Each structure stands twice: as C-alpha cells, then as structure tokens.
Amino acid sequence: MKIFKDSLKAVISFKIRTFFSILAISIGIASLSIIVASVEGAYGKAYEIVNKFGPDSMMIFGGSQEITSLRQRQKTITLEIYQDITQKFPEIKLSMPLIFIPNVKLSYQDKKHNTRLIGASEKFSEIWSWNIDEGRLFSKEEIDTKANVCIIGKTVKKELFSNEEAVGKYITLNNLVCKVIGVLSERGSTPTGEDLDDRVMMPYTTIMSKINHDNKYIDGIRLKLYKDVDVGDLTKKIEQYFKQKNIDVFILTPQEILNFLLQLTGSLVLFLGLSSTISLTIGGFVLANLFLLSVNERTHEIGIRRAVGATKRDILKHFIYEALIITFIASIIGFLIGFGGSKLLVKIIEFPVKFSWISFIFAVIVSLIVGIVAVLNPALKASRINPMEAIKS
C-alpha cells in the first residue's frame, strides 16, 4: 500500500510527464472505445432491422442484383409467375405482389409533397409486421375492384396535413384522386438514411390498372414463411425455379441484410482499428521514453530508497504502479473523448453506436496492458541501479 501511495505522489509531482503520458494514451483509447461501441451498435441495429424485415421473410425482385443495387427495376416477374410460386412452394405461409414507384407527386389543397408509392395487398400489415395507427387496412373487395384508396406514412401525414385528421380526406396522387383510409405506425429510417415513413401504400391492382397501365408485370414478391422453414434451402429452390424459366431475379433474405450491414461495419472498424493501433503504439512509445527520462532524472532518489531498505522488487512495483495510475486515468479520459466523438459520428453519418460497460472495461484493460508493456523496460532499469553509485551521482 505504501508503494502505491508513493507512486501516486510521484504521478502528482511530475505533472508535465503525467500530462503528456495521459494525452498520448487517451487518444488511442478514444478510438478503441468508438470501435467497440460501433461494433455493439452495428450488431444491435442489424438484428433490429432483421426483426423489422422479418426473420422468416424474403423478397424477390425482378432483375439481377447489380441492377437492383443501382435502384433500377426490370420487369421480369408477372402476376402469373407470382400465383404459380405461391402454389408450388408449400413453405410459403403468406405472399403479396409488390410494385414500387420511386417518385410520385402528392397534393392536398395548397400543400405538395413528393414521395414513393408502393403497391400492396390486404395482407401487407401481417406480412410486413407493420401496424396501422389510424384508420384501417385495405379490404379484399378494394383490391379486387381496384379502388382509389391509400394508406400514408407518418412523414406524408406531417407534410400534407400537419395536425389535421388525415383519414377520410382525399389527396391527388399524380393525376389520380384517392381517399386516405389509414396512417401507418412510425417505422424510422434505414442505415442508409432512407425515411421509411415517407411513403404511400395503394392496392397493387389500382396502381397496375390506373397508374402503370400494365396488368401483367409486377416489381417483386414479398413472402412470409412458416417458422420451421430453412430460408437458405428455400432460397436455392426459388433460384432454381427462376433459372429454369430463364428469368433474372434477386432474392433478399435476412442473411443478405446482415451480411451487408456487417460489411459496412467492417470498413469503419478497419479504419478506426488502424487509427487506434497507431495512436496506442505512439502513446506507448511516448510513455516508455518519458519513464526512461524519469528514471535518469531520479537516479539519486532511487539510490537513497535502495539504501534505506527498498528492494529491487519494490522499485519495479513503484514504477509499474505509476504507469497503471497514469493509464487508468487515460482510459477514463479516452473513454469520455470516445463517447463525445461517437455523438459526432452519429450526427455526421448516422452510424449506430452503443456504449456499454463492455466498452469501458475493454478500454481500461487495453490501456493497463499498454502501460505495463511500455514501462517494463524503464522499471527494470530502475530496479537494477546500484544504490551506492546512485547516491554518489
């Protein structure tokens, strides 16, 4: 305990050395803290998105993956194929045709707004696990009769109606007048910043007949599977089905979403990991040199301590304790800097960051290891000083 108190006094006494040592280590710890928090946040966000998408769901888009990734649509899936798939694969519990129109003009009185239009069926709430906050869902009759009805997202309601009641009002969608029968519950945004609440849902039959003027092709299919179904195995079967028909499709599954998000996380982690490694290496180098300088300056003090009974082990422990105190303080400061830096990261690129005790404990452990490794050589040098020669010097 006495050695620890002496080490603490030395840390306080050598203020400049302590300041630069803490500064060097804390920068590396800040980067490291952000890495751990980013990984935790990314994994949490990935599984949250998968749960929203549906772990027992998949989507089939017309065209290749390259075309889909460029946000372009190829009309390769017909209603006839959709009906055939739902009958051919018993693993499918629910299914729904999908139609996407990325840019439609909405207007209500003097207010205007551009949004995306999505065609759906009466099953979309159950298939998407997406509830209605106000109003009601489409009815089977409205799908069959191609009714001019729609359900809007929260963002659309805010833009067109502000605080007014939306249900029961009529809006103009391009040149089509339709009645608002419901408002979707809030969903938030995707990792790429796309507002999921900025949309209008309409019966797919209405869109095909009155907007697209095409009663044959759809953009995609949404499937909900029975819980015991192997999604990977079914994906292969469906891919084989389309391959036999010589039709290009891209199938999106929960695993595809996870892979994309983890690749995105990996790029950031690689960058921050390199930064923190360089910072911690420089920090350790600075710490080692400052302690080496300190040993040379304190040779006389070390000689006196040895002369009055301090052992080599005591001197070694004294310098290691000093390093541990400094690096522990640096880990706390670095963690706080990392916490503040992560807030900036979230604002700039909207990347999910989650700080926890794991992040803090990891930062402390790494900083202590760096401290021990950096100071070990100077501490050994100090412990080997000849007391008589040190006093004479």
Side-chain angles (χ1 to χ4, degrees):
M1 190 65 183
K2 184 179 183 305
I3 297 173
F4 180 81
K5 287 181 179 178
D6 290 340
S7 300
L8 185 59
K9 287 178 183 177
V11 168
I12 296 170
S13 299
F14 295 91
K15 293 181 176 62
I16 296 176
R17 184 204 64 181
T18 300
F19 171 76
F20 282 107
S21 298
I22 289 174
L23 180 65
I25 298 296
S26 62
I27 293 172
I29 293 300
S31 299
L32 196 64
S33 300
I34 294 175
I35 289 174
V36 177
S38 297
V39 170
E40 283 193 71
Y43 272 96
K45 188 68 175 178
Y47 286 106
E48 178 190 332
I49 291 170
V50 166
N51 285 332
K52 285 182 179 179
F53 178 84
D56 54 352
S57 302
M58 67 169 60
M59 293 176 70
I60 306 170
F61 298 101
S64 63
Q65 183 174 358
E66 291 76 17
I67 294 295
T68 303
S69 64
L70 292 171
R71 295 183 178 274
Q72 297 174 357
R73 305 288 180 196
Q74 280 185 329
K75 300 285 188 177
T76 60
I77 304 174
T78 64
L79 273 178
E80 185 181 352
I81 289 174
Y82 159 71
Q83 291 161 358
D84 187 38
I85 283 177
T86 56
Q87 295 170 4
K88 196 173 282 297
F89 297 99
E91 298 95 334
I92 298 171
K93 181 180 179 181
L94 293 169
S95 63
M96 181 181 74
L98 292 173
I99 297 175
F100 305 94
I101 301 179
N103 189 25
V104 295
K105 297 177 181 178
L106 300 181
S107 63
Y108 172 72
Q109 295 179 354
D110 61 338
K111 295 179 181 177
K112 300 182 185 302
H113 181 63
N114 283 13
T115 188
R116 70 183 69 86
L117 175 64
I118 298 174
S121 73
E122 75 282 3
K123 301 174 187 175
F124 91 88
S125 183
E126 186 178 359
I127 290 178
W128 281 99
S129 301
W130 198 337
N131 297 324
I132 299 290
D133 258 5
E134 304 169 36
R136 61 175 178 84
L137 298 169
F138 304 128
S139 67
K140 181 69 169 61
E141 183 182 356
E142 286 168 333
I143 301 294
D144 293 339
T145 59
K146 306 171 185 176
N148 291 10
V149 292
C150 62
I151 298 172
I152 62 176
K154 289 283 187 181
T155 300
V156 175
K157 182 189 175 184
K158 181 181 177 182
E159 292 292 331
L160 292 184
F161 297 98
S162 298
N163 296 323
E164 286 184 47
E165 178 69 34
V167 176
K169 303 286 176 58
Y170 288 86
I171 63 175
T172 302
L173 192 152
N174 287 350
N175 295 317
L176 185 70
V177 176
C178 63
K179 182 180 180 181
V180 178
I181 62 169
V183 179
L184 293 165
S185 60
E186 191 169 353
R187 199 76 164 195
S189 59
T190 67
T192 56
E194 182 180 0
D195 185 0
L196 293 171
D197 300 310
D198 192 3
R199 64 176 58 201
V200 174
M201 311 285 289
M202 184 177 278
Y204 73 92
T205 51
T206 308
I207 296 176
M208 292 179 76
S209 176
K210 300 179 181 180
I211 296 178
N212 283 351
H213 306 290
D214 178 0
N215 291 314
K216 182 178 181 180
Y217 287 99
I218 57 177
D219 291 306
I221 303 170
R222 169 80 179 187
L223 302 176
K224 191 175 182 68
L225 316 175
Y226 288 101
K227 288 189 177 179
D228 58 346
V229 171
D230 185 329
V231 178
D233 184 57
L234 180 59
T235 301
K236 290 177 182 176
K237 290 180 182 177
I238 294 175
E239 284 174 343
Q240 186 60 34
Y241 168 86
F242 280 103
K243 190 174 181 181
Q244 289 173 353
K245 291 184 174 293
N246 199 29
I247 296 174
D248 285 332
V249 294
F250 167 58
I251 301 176
L252 182 64
T253 65
Q255 190 58 48
E256 290 280 346
I257 296 172
L258 277 176
N259 291 341
F260 168 74
L261 290 171
L262 295 181
Q263 284 175 6
L264 187 66
T265 306
S267 301
L268 180 64
V269 168
L270 182 64
F271 170 73
L272 291 175
L274 186 62
S275 302
S276 65
T277 301
I278 293 171
S279 299
L280 285 172
T281 302
I282 293 171
F285 180 77
V286 170
L287 190 65
N289 280 277
L290 287 173
F291 265 86
L292 198 59
L293 182 63
S294 179
V295 169
N296 294 332
E297 290 175 346
R298 296 159 67 184
T299 301
H300 188 71
E301 173 200 330
I302 295 166
I304 293 172
R305 293 186 63 190
R306 287 294 313 280
V308 296
T311 65
K312 289 183 178 181
R313 185 182 180 85
D314 291 337
I315 300 298
L316 182 68
K317 287 167 65 176
H318 175 91
F319 278 92
I320 288 176
Y321 284 162
E322 278 190 45
L324 292 179
I325 292 168
I326 288 172
T327 51
F328 180 73
I329 295 170
S331 68
I332 295 174
I333 294 173
F335 181 80
L336 293 175
I337 293 172
F339 183 79
S342 69
K343 298 294 183 184
L344 185 63
L345 187 69
V346 171
K347 285 184 178 179
I348 294 172
I349 62 172
E350 298 185 2
F351 193 87
V353 178
K354 180 185 177 183
F355 273 88
S356 67
W357 282 107
I358 296 174
S359 309
F360 178 69
I361 291 169
F362 191 74
V364 170
I365 291 172
V366 171
S367 65
L368 294 181
I369 291 171
V370 170
I372 292 171
V373 171
V375 84
L376 192 57
N377 185 52
L380 286 170
K381 182 180 177 181
S383 69
R384 292 167 184 161
I385 289 175
N386 187 296
M388 295 306 295
E389 291 180 4
I391 291 172
K392 286 179 184 178
S393 68

